């Protein structure tokens, strides 16, 4: 009986989630370095003259650890248009959805571009990309003059959705789960 209780407690502890979030921009650079996200996340000195900046990171240290971060930068209209144009050469973007070699009934990335929460997102392709375990997205909001950089490292995530699911809904739910867009 004691063994059963102990086993239940171990399983409960292993499945419990320890999630830490942070929105202090002063932690941005160290978090980018800590998780080797510098292949995707921009350096603060490279994002141009901005009006406002928001940072969010989420560290889930549960049995299946996941690390995500976002940087949302708001500009005046002229600077926004310049930065939006710069994104075209700053990143390479996917040109098709991605399926794993091991199962064609699921998508690791179900769609190359989508809109949610007022942003138009495109999925980036960079060195060491491993969809959906390690990748980034760039979103632009023409209405708010904002650019959002979203990056995730989820080594235990095998796919985002099944092939018969709504791809836009799946990506919107994915963003809702791992990020903090307003």
């Amino acid at each position: 009986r004691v063994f059963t209780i102990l086993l239940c407690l171990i399983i409960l502890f292993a499945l419990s989630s320890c999630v830490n979030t942070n929105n202090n921009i002063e932690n941005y650079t160290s978090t980018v370095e800590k998780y080797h996200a510098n292949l995707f996340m921009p350096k603060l000195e490279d994002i141009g003259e901005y009006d406002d900046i928001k940072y969010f990171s989420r560290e889930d240290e549960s049995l299946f650890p996941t690390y995500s971060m976002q940087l949302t930068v708001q500009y005046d209209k002229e600077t926004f248009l310049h930065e939006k144009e710069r994104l075209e050469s700053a990143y390479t973007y996917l040109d098709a959805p991605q399926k794993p070699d091991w199962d064609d009934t699921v998508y690791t990335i179900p769609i190359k571009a989508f809109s949610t929460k007022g942003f138009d997102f495109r999925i980036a392709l960079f060195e060491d990309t491993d969809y959906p375990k390690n990748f980034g997205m760039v979103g632009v909001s023409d209405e708010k003059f904002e650019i959002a950089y979203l990056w995730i490292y989820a080594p235990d995530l095998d796919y985002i959705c099944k092939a018969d699911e709504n791809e836009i809904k799946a990506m919107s739910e994915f963003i809702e789960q791992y990020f903090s867009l307003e």
Side-chain angles (χ1 to χ4, degrees), residues 14-19 35 58-68 132-134 151-157 178:
L15 295 176
S16 68
S17 183
C18 179
V19 177
Y35 294 110
R58 180 181 181 276
E59 299 176 318
D60 183 342
E61 298 285 345
S62 66
L63 183 61
F64 302 107
T66 303
Y67 312 101
S68 60
K133 298 174 185 304
N134 178 20
W151 172 86
I152 187 164
Y153 176 69
D156 293 310
L157 185 61
Y178 295 108

Side-chain angles (χ1 to χ4, degrees), residues 43-113:
K43 293 179 181 176
L44 293 179
E45 59 266 18
D46 294 341
I47 59 174
E49 194 70 31
Y50 54 84
D51 290 345
D52 193 20
I53 190 167
K54 295 176 190 155
Y55 165 70
F56 173 80
S57 70
R58 180 181 181 276
E59 299 176 318
D60 183 342
E61 298 285 345
S62 66
L63 183 61
F64 302 107
T66 303
Y67 312 101
S68 60
M69 70 177 77
Q70 82 181 42
L71 185 69
T72 307
V73 187
Q74 185 176 46
Y75 300 97
D76 63 55
K77 184 177 182 177
E78 182 180 329
T79 307
F80 169 75
L81 293 173
H82 176 268
E83 289 298 313
K84 183 178 170 183
E85 184 178 308
R86 182 188 63 77
L87 291 174
E88 293 304 312
S89 60
Y91 293 100
T92 302
Y93 299 98
L94 280 182
D95 58 5
Q98 302 293 300
K99 286 187 175 185
D101 294 337
W102 48 268
D103 186 348
D104 70 348
T105 66
V106 298
Y107 282 110
T108 54
I109 298 293
I111 196 164
K112 64 180 185 172

Side-chain angles (χ1 to χ4, degrees), residues 88-149:
E88 293 304 312
S89 60
Y91 293 100
T92 302
Y93 299 98
L94 280 182
D95 58 5
Q98 302 293 300
K99 286 187 175 185
D101 294 337
W102 48 268
D103 186 348
D104 70 348
T105 66
V106 298
Y107 282 110
T108 54
I109 298 293
I111 196 164
K112 64 180 185 172
F114 64 98
S115 297
T116 189
K117 303 243 180 223
F119 287 87
D120 298 322
F121 282 97
R122 291 173 30 184
I123 310 298
L125 176 62
F126 54 92
E127 186 180 327
D128 294 333
T129 301
D130 183 11
Y131 302 115
K133 298 174 185 304
N134 178 20
F135 76 99
M137 301 173 262
V138 178
V140 296
S141 172
D142 291 326
E143 182 181 315
K144 299 187 241 178
F145 305 128
E146 289 182 345
I147 297 175
Y149 303 88

